[in-house]
Amino acid sequence: TGQHILSAAFVECLEADTVGFHLSEEYATIDLDRAPLSDTDLEWVETRANAVVMADQPVVTRWVSDEEVPTLPLRKPLAHQGPVRVVEIPDFDCSACGGTHVRATGKVGPIKITRSERRGKETRVEFLCGRRALADYWLKNALVMDLAREFTVGHRELGETVRRLADDLKE
């Protein structure tokens, strides 16, 4: 469901279509038909995706007939015939999908884009949802707080401190 939300947010915000998806034990990726994407683009999409999560909208799954398919606002055209399972977040996304899904967007938890990589005319976006996103936040927050203590600065000053030290080393 997190992938559906993020992919639909990319379409809404940047008109970037998902052309590939991978889910692993540690993270998920989507491949988009657009490159390059700026940090501002990614932040805009992530913000929109999390607004959909926070709205806790219903996620409806149902089987539809061939006759009904043309009437649906599917995000991606179908490649086969026959009854198809549709997953819909009303007024946001409608996709054919046979995967498992939550019953409301709020159950996805936070969506965090962790990196992106240009791949020719496409961009691969790595992201985390729910507990995985929180675990990533906890790990990075612990690292930042540890480094801030090590350099005896506030965590908000850490970036400036590291840049200053790097400049000092160059000199």
Side-chain angles (χ1 to χ4, degrees):
T1 308
Q3 179 268 316
H4 286 264
I5 294 169
L6 191 59
S7 289
F10 270 108
V11 170
E12 182 181 293
C13 295
L14 302 175
E15 297 179 1
D17 290 319
T18 297
V19 294
F21 169 64
H22 175 73
L23 178 63
S24 76
E25 290 285 325
E26 289 122 27
Y27 59 88
T29 63
I30 56 174
D31 294 332
L32 301 164
D33 67 352
R34 181 169 166 192
L37 295 177
S38 70
D39 291 343
T40 302
D41 290 336
L42 297 173
E43 183 179 336
W44 183 26
V45 169
E46 183 181 286
T47 298
R48 176 62 176 128
N50 280 298
V52 172
V53 169
M54 297 294 282
D56 200 25
Q57 296 177 258
V59 177
V60 179
T61 58
R62 61 191 172 99
W63 287 92
V64 299
S65 66
D66 283 342
E67 294 77 33
E68 188 179 355
V69 168
T71 69
L72 298 174
L74 293 173
R75 179 168 31 93
K76 191 173 181 179
L78 289 179
H80 64 279
Q81 295 287 314
V84 67
R85 185 166 176 259
V86 171
V87 177
E88 187 170 6
I89 301 166
D91 300 318
F92 184 68
D93 186 46
C94 185
S95 299
C97 185
T100 57
H101 298 85
V102 296
R103 293 177 190 226
T105 59
K107 296 289 186 184
V108 170
I111 296 174
K112 181 64 186 150
I113 295 172
T114 54
R115 67 185 204 93
S116 69
E117 170 187 9
R118 183 177 183 158
R119 301 170 65 96
K121 294 180 181 180
E122 296 180 356
T123 301
R124 176 161 290 169
V125 174
E126 184 177 297
F127 67 99
L128 302 169
C129 298
R131 283 185 224 133
R132 289 177 182 169
L134 285 174
D136 184 67
Y137 168 78
W138 291 329
L139 175 72
K140 290 173 180 171
N141 188 64
L143 176 64
V144 166
M145 297 309 284
D146 185 48
L147 288 170
R149 275 190 297 278
E150 181 73 25
F151 291 115
T152 60
V153 298
H155 68 280
R156 287 183 175 86
E157 291 83 36
L158 184 59
E160 180 184 324
T161 300
V162 170
R163 281 187 289 280
R164 183 179 44 78
L165 291 171
D167 288 343
D168 289 350
L169 282 173
K170 285 178 189 175
E171 286 181 30

